[in-house]
Amino acid sequence: MVAHFDRRLRKAAVTTTVAALAVAALSASQAPDVTADGNGRQTTADNVPASETPAAESATGNSPYYTDLPPLNSPKPAPTAGTPTSPGTSEAGIPATVLDAYKKAESELRLSKPGCNLPWQLLAAIGKVESGQARGGRVDANGTTIGRIIGPQLDGNGFALIQDTDNGVYDGNSKYDNAVGPMQFIPSTWAWAGRDGNGDGKADPNNVYDAALAAGHYLCRNGWDLSVQADLNRAILSYNNSQDYLNTVLSWLEHYRKGTHEIPDGTGSLPVGRSDDPGAGASPSPGGTGAYPSSQAPATPGPKPSPSKPPAPGKPGNSGGPSTKPPTDPAPPTGSPTPSPTPTDTVHHLENAGTTGLTATAGDTFAEKISTRAETTAGAAVGKVRIRFTVLGDTDATFTGGEKVAAVTTNASGVAVAPALVAGEQTGEFTVRATVVGRTVPGLDYRATVTERVADTLTRTTATELTCTPGGEFADPLGVKATLKGAVADKVAVTATLIKSEADPAENDKGPYFKDADGKAVRTLTGLKTGADGLLELPKLYADDAEGSYVLRLTTPGGAQLDITLKVAKAAEPTPDPSTEPSTQPAA
């Protein structure tokens, strides 16, 4: 739907019949559960109705969108003259920063709205039809588009009528609203749906991180579960109220689910066909300048396919049909100067910026943060480059906030400092890899280690002597408390072993014992852990027929040790009561 691009695309003269046949061929071969009617319009197999969302309440105001479809499955596709061309295999790639924004938004929604089941591929599909993935990934290191992406003004002439709501702050138009940014939000929707996705303290519709997160929240409202087809359809239709839009987004969603890969920023292909220009390719304006459309001169309308849901009389149509008044394009620039290299283009390698050791106890935050420096071939620092840090391996460690991925922009010294790492309960080693977003250079790996929780002292919580008769059970429970430097040591592993003696730590083969799940005698227990208060109550102890004194040894990581004496003995003979004993005195 974007009205601005860096070049003008010529329109191809075609007949309505050829266009309809080509669209039908594309639809049948690519879109999931999509067919085409006799006029070449796409319809879903279950005939999902158009959304009831009014244009002013939708994400885009039902503005135009790009109708390019994914590559055909057939090696010899049907002729597509006069219809949106089917791109080549490069379409499977998504610009690095844009892809990072989609995945980051999915990760955040997984935590904040887990019942929504938002896939990042849906954001990618919408981003494709709305802006061609931010004009092929033309964004800076922070994810902000290079030049604003502005749709045509929604003045009721071929589009919805939406009077200005932002005083031109976002779209530069103080009379009517225009859709803005890589996800094409109209200002009135952005006012409540906007989010800060890159942590810079502001919500900017021109920033792909902010826009992707906002789109995710928008699609996850109303309690929709996007793993359910009906809810998925409703969410997409609420973004742009057009059946053709739904089918196009579903086609790209299916395409990206089959696989994609990261490509450098700025190298993505530009879309061709647009929904307000169905008779030929798109006619976009240069968008890198940040200029707004200065006029909206009328043009000869093309053939008019019926929209899925016709507008009410006297009201502007939605974007499912062609526009009768597409924007007039300014003359293209006479030359195509070679763009200056971005800071990202100059990065040759990454260097460790002083990270020396990454070790933390389970559940703790790592004291040291990972620092990475981006450098040129000559070793000079490169600022304003986005570095992605990814937690790899079999670990439950995350960055602060619970995410496995974090992207940070390098400072003037070329250094990016990752958020703090938080160790999970899983011990062992894992890797954090630093890579340059938007450039293929070798990643830099950092090894991190999570160690067990420890305690340096174990004490009994009761002083009762632990005794038992042969073949019986110890009546009193055995409780202990673990501490580390005087503080409570929670979730510390404790091993309990019935040993032969304090001098011989070998497991005893007689005397007291625990029972396993099958009721069998065991004399070593592992997997015990103290609670949040550092306390642990051991399972019940039993005794066999062997009498004597025995030792139960408790140990923890960190060196804490506690030996407890257990006694197995017959019950003492009761002391006779003199008052009940027969008298031995002679009778008087």
Side-chain angles (χ1 to χ4, degrees):
M1 72 183 266
V2 182
H4 302 290
F5 280 98
D6 297 330
R7 58 192 175 93
R8 178 186 297 269
L9 300 172
R10 296 184 178 180
K11 295 183 178 180
V14 295
T15 65
T16 304
T17 302
V18 173
L21 290 173
V23 170
L26 285 168
S27 301
S29 62
Q30 301 164 80
D33 301 321
V34 172
T35 59
D37 64 19
N39 296 317
R41 295 189 302 270
Q42 295 177 354
T43 59
T44 53
D46 58 351
N47 195 27
V48 178
S51 167
E52 297 296 336
T53 305
E57 296 178 13
S58 71
T60 69
N62 296 336
S63 295
Y65 57 91
Y66 284 99
T67 58
D68 290 10
L69 292 170
L72 291 167
N73 295 327
S74 169
K76 294 182 179 179
T80 56
T83 67
T85 59
S86 184
T89 56
S90 63
E91 280 298 342
I94 299 177
T97 298
V98 181
L99 179 59
D100 186 55
Y102 296 151
K103 291 186 175 181
K104 188 173 188 295
E106 179 200 55
S107 178
E108 292 193 24
L109 266 298
R110 191 182 299 122
L111 294 174
S112 61
K113 296 183 179 179
C116 176
N117 294 304
L118 171 79
W120 67 261
Q121 292 91 340
L122 176 59
L123 298 176
I126 290 176
K128 180 66 180 179
V129 302
E130 295 295 349
S131 68
Q133 311 297 20
R135 293 188 305 233
R138 287 161 176 80
V139 296
D140 63 19
N142 293 316
T144 302
T145 58
I146 299 172
R148 289 197 246 185
I149 302 174
I150 309 292
Q153 67 178 17
L154 301 174
D155 58 4
N157 292 303
F159 310 112
L161 174 60
I162 303 179
Q163 303 285 349
D164 174 64
T165 60
D166 67 328
N167 199 29
V169 170
Y170 293 120
D171 54 17
N173 188 341
S174 58
K175 188 172 183 181
Y176 301 101
D177 270 349
N178 305 62
V180 179
M183 301 303 276
Q184 288 289 276
F185 280 95
I186 55 174
S188 57
T189 302
W190 184 260
W192 60 264
R195 295 290 192 282
D196 175 17
N198 63 351
D200 63 357
K202 61 181 179 180
D204 180 4
N206 300 294
N207 183 278
V208 69
Y209 287 94
D210 296 358
L213 183 59
H217 278 280
Y218 184 91
L219 294 165
C220 285
R221 71 197 195 286
N222 296 331
W224 286 329
D225 178 356
L226 302 185
S227 65
V228 177
Q229 189 65 44
D231 281 358
L232 175 65
N233 293 342
R234 292 186 187 98
I236 296 171
L237 286 167
S238 77
Y239 210 91
N240 191 312
N241 185 7
S242 162
Q243 189 75 29
D244 291 334
Y245 179 87
L246 170 66
N247 295 337
T248 305
V249 170
L250 289 176
S251 296
W252 282 107
L253 172 60
E254 180 68 15
H255 181 69
Y256 288 133
R257 275 176 166 164
K258 290 178 179 177
T260 186
H261 60 277
E262 178 182 294
I263 60 176
D265 290 342
T267 64
S269 61
L270 304 179
V272 177
R274 205 173 70 176
S275 63
D276 62 336
D277 191 13
S283 180
S285 325
T289 62
Y292 306 107
S294 57
S295 64
Q296 304 261 337
T300 303
K304 202 164 191 162
S306 302
S308 302
K309 184 175 181 180
K315 293 185 179 181
N318 68 28
S319 60
S323 166
T324 58
K325 194 175 182 183
T328 301
D329 299 327
T334 56
S336 298
T338 302
S340 300
T342 66
T344 302
D345 296 329
T346 67
V347 177
H348 176 264
H349 60 273
L350 296 176
E351 289 287 343
N352 187 336
T355 304
T356 56
L358 294 168
T359 302
T361 301
D364 288 350
T365 299
F366 283 75
E368 186 175 8
K369 294 182 179 179
I370 297 173
S371 297
T372 301
R373 175 180 160 97
E375 297 184 354
T376 64
T377 305
V382 184
K384 298 183 179 180
V385 172
R386 203 163 183 82
I387 304 298
R388 181 188 294 127
F389 298 94
T390 306
V391 177
L392 304 173
D394 184 16
T395 180
D396 55 356
T398 64
F399 292 110
T400 302
E403 295 186 11
K404 295 274 190 177
V405 179
V408 181
T409 303
T410 59
N411 58 23
S413 299
V415 175
V417 180
L421 274 170
V422 179
E425 294 302 319
Q426 190 170 339
T427 61
E429 290 189 343
F430 64 93
T431 299
V432 178
R433 179 167 297 163
T435 55
V436 181
V437 176
R439 186 164 175 79
T440 305
V441 298
L444 184 61
D445 287 351
Y446 298 82
R447 299 296 294 176
T449 303
V450 178
T451 59
E452 291 183 290
R453 295 172 182 260
V454 298
D456 56 18
T457 306
L458 282 171
T459 56
R460 283 192 61 185
T461 55
T462 58
T464 306
E465 184 180 38
L466 296 171
T467 61
C468 179
T469 59
E473 60 184 53
F474 289 83
D476 295 320
L478 175 56
V480 295
K481 181 176 183 179
T483 57
L484 178 64
K485 297 179 181 179
V488 167
D490 63 326
K491 299 181 182 179
V492 174
V494 177
T495 299
T497 306
L498 288 149
I499 61 177
K500 291 186 175 181
S501 68
E502 292 184 1
D504 185 358
E507 181 182 280
N508 211 333
D509 56 0
K510 62 181 180 179
Y513 61 90
F514 299 103
K515 287 184 179 180
D516 63 12
D518 297 324
K520 295 181 180 179
V522 293
R523 290 185 168 87
T524 298
L525 286 183
T526 59
L528 303 172
K529 282 192 175 182
T530 61
D533 52 5
L535 298 178
L536 170 67
E537 184 174 297
L538 274 71
K540 183 179 287 293
L541 277 160
Y542 302 85
D544 61 15
D545 293 334
E547 296 184 57
S549 292
Y550 299 91
V551 177
L552 172 63
R553 175 165 290 177
L554 306 178
T555 59
T556 71
Q561 178 178 305
L562 176 63
D563 289 343
I564 301 171
T565 300
L566 306 174
K567 291 183 179 181
V568 179
K570 292 180 180 180
E573 293 292 336
T575 303
D577 185 349
S579 66
T580 63
E581 289 293 317
S583 174
T584 59
Q585 296 293 327

